[in-house]
Amino acid sequence: MLENWVVMPTCLPLVRRRCHTCGSERFRANGKFRVNANHKLIDAWLLALCTVCGDTTKLTVLERMNVRSVRPELLDRLHDNDPGLAAELLQDPVVRRRNRIALDWDNAWRLDTGGSDHLDREVSDVIDVSVRFAARIPVRPVRLIAEGCGLSRADVGRLITEGNLVSAIRLSGRLSGDFTFTLKR
């Protein structure tokens, strides 16, 4: 039996960057942008507020670009403060590297198992699960499997050690790409 699970974002992740005012390291991006044009050049920033003091930081999206080289749809989304664009830009490795930020996905995602109940199955059942990520959210596979199957992480570790939980990928560490696993009960 093949099941499909989806790891979905529930909100924008926190931005990890040091606040110059209070020293905190967490900012909340709310999807607001600031766009500034100087003659034919344009700058655009994603605004984020410090979670402690409320100070604003600007994450560079466009820097000194010719207005004609920017797609009109992108300009419209920037002017409309599109939260979907904010999510896309936070996922963009170029934007993260340019601004020297990391993302904190704690409490910003959920696992959708399709409503299946794994605890009521027969002991001899074999479950094949395909896990898909709706966004590049780094999560430990052991945590996903424990949450999706209603087990403790120690139980999942025991199943891996016994060979009753197998996958083509390594289940230790963090993962942000799609994977499959087989659970033998």
Side-chain angles (χ1 to χ4, degrees):
M1 162 179 259
L2 178 67
E3 296 187 11
N4 294 307
W5 294 356
V6 181
V7 179
M8 302 181 64
T10 56
C11 61
L12 291 175
L14 292 178
V15 175
R16 291 178 51 205
R17 180 185 210 178
R18 187 164 173 78
C19 178
H20 297 293
T21 305
C22 71
S24 167
E25 295 192 4
R26 301 280 190 271
F27 285 83
R28 183 171 308 284
N30 57 5
K32 302 281 187 211
F33 293 92
R34 173 151 187 249
V35 180
N36 186 28
N38 185 2
H39 300 288
K40 295 180 183 177
L41 301 177
I42 190 168
D43 295 306
W45 301 276
L46 173 61
L47 303 178
L49 300 174
C50 176
T51 57
V52 175
C53 70
D55 193 38
T56 302
T57 189
K58 299 187 296 189
L59 306 176
T60 303
V61 176
L62 301 174
E63 188 171 36
R64 310 308 291 163
M65 292 202 49
N66 191 311
V67 175
R68 293 186 186 273
S69 67
V70 179
R71 294 186 332 271
E73 307 87 47
L74 177 60
L75 278 176
D76 289 342
R77 291 178 77 187
L78 288 168
H79 288 299
D80 293 340
N81 290 319
D82 184 355
L85 178 60
E88 291 171 30
L89 291 170
L90 286 174
Q91 292 283 315
D92 186 350
V94 174
V95 172
R96 290 202 319 255
R97 195 174 332 127
R98 176 189 297 153
N99 291 287
R100 295 187 207 110
I101 61 170
L103 301 179
D104 182 355
W105 282 98
D106 288 348
N107 302 318
W109 62 273
R110 69 179 173 83
L111 178 64
D112 182 9
T113 60
S116 56
D117 187 8
H118 305 284
L119 299 177
D120 293 340
R121 297 189 186 278
E122 293 295 321
V123 174
S124 64
D125 277 352
V126 174
I127 307 166
D128 290 318
V129 179
S130 172
V131 180
R132 189 175 60 81
F133 286 77
R136 295 194 58 79
I137 304 169
V139 182
R140 295 185 188 282
V142 170
R143 179 178 176 191
L144 287 178
I145 295 167
E147 186 175 321
C149 294
L151 301 169
S152 70
R153 291 186 200 172
D155 289 340
V156 172
R158 184 181 45 76
L159 288 170
I160 292 171
T161 305
E162 294 171 354
N164 291 329
L165 178 60
V166 294
S167 179
I169 58 104
R170 197 182 72 194
L171 295 175
S172 61
R174 290 184 182 263
L175 199 69
S176 60
D178 301 350
F179 70 98
T180 60
F181 68 90
T182 302
L183 175 62
K184 302 170 201 161
R185 287 199 166 202

